[in-house]
Amino acid sequence: MVMRTAGNRFSAGLLRWAAALGATGLIALSPALAQEIKIGAALPMSGPNAEYGDLFSSAAAIAVEHANADKMLSKKLVMVIEDSQATPQQGVVAMNKLVNVDKVPYVLSAFTGVSKAIAPVGDKAKVVSVNGGGIGPDLAELGDYFWNVIPLVNIEIQAFAPYIVNERNWKKVALIYVDDPAGEAIKKELDLNVPKLGGKMVAALQVPRASQQFSGIAAKVREAQPDVVFIASFGAQQAQIAKQLRDNGVSQQIVSYSAFSVPTILQLPEAKGTIYPTQSVNWNADAAAQRLAKDWKAKKGKEPNAYVANYYNAVMVFVKLAQALEKSGQPITGENLLKQRKMMSSFDMVGGKMQFLPNGTVSMPLQLNEVDNGTAKVIKATLVAK
């Protein structure tokens, strides 16, 4: 795994110079360089959402380790990471480096706003971008070269809303949502699904992405008198929302979506009892799942979550496609990876069979989780969109 630094950029410049000389016959390229297959990752490695970047990149790194240990490809697989900082602007900078400097055919992405920003870069260069963390429904509309290995939020809400309104009888829903594409998407889906089920949206309170003070929001939630409060944010902000709701007298049930499943949030005392959906993962289902869970716990000292499966699977999709291309004597390019994925369609992955739909999204089962003393326990193993 390579993390970009100033020294790396300098070294990359020397390598490009060496490559130019190599083309003229003045210098021979190192055989080691020719023995690598590179993929990229544009992930938040710094800033308030760096916890996600560490989680995603660590899972992907284990997949790279497994692929190399099992000699799944003819050459060593290497992952080059650029820091997206979870912002669209920096995401584009990161993507341009991966595409134009590192010449990778395949890039891991995260966050709805970042993914939407980098997709045109990948599409133009015919480089595949794969999202395992962003959940906006419009991520299904970013072109052939943008894929998702995570169920998008329209599927999450369609499955979760009946549980909220009908099974638990929480008819009055208050929403606190961040002003970014993911927050807007969740609001749209709740506005559509809750009334259809006989419930009512009694409040929809938007918060700026950089905000960390929510006592005023808590007062508005108390005034709305909901049965349940849905938090649609991520990272440090969602932790502060949960904490300040409880600190300011909001005692109603809290629910959220898959972004709630990071260790910092789960360990927050005020988050206890929060319910949220994720893709379903049975860590005892097969040898691959058991191996990933064992290695994750050895490296992190924690139980893996669905994001670990997502980013491990995102790398393994590349490996399986690249295997097929090597077997047929084709170069590993973004264009050939896309063609091969359309031919193969489904993959046996950690968490079950991953079935790619024509628009580059996946169909995978969901589960419901409840925060309990710093961990997430499964309270409903199969959740189906209706």
Side-chain angles (χ1 to χ4, degrees), residues 286-297:
D286 53 38
Q290 292 171 20
R291 181 187 188 188
L292 173 55
K294 179 182 177 181
D295 286 358
W296 181 264
K297 284 185 278 190

Side-chain angles (χ1 to χ4, degrees), residues 326-365:
E326 287 192 330
K327 186 175 181 180
S328 62
Q330 299 179 69
I332 302 171
T333 66
E335 190 170 13
N336 285 342
L337 289 167
L338 174 61
K339 290 178 182 176
Q340 191 66 37
R341 193 216 80 198
K342 289 184 175 180
M343 290 172 59
M344 294 175 70
S345 180
S346 67
F347 303 81
D348 289 323
M349 289 289 166
V350 169
K353 186 172 289 293
M354 179 183 292
Q355 178 74 41
F356 274 97
L357 304 177
N359 63 0
T361 62
V362 292
S363 173
M364 296 193 78

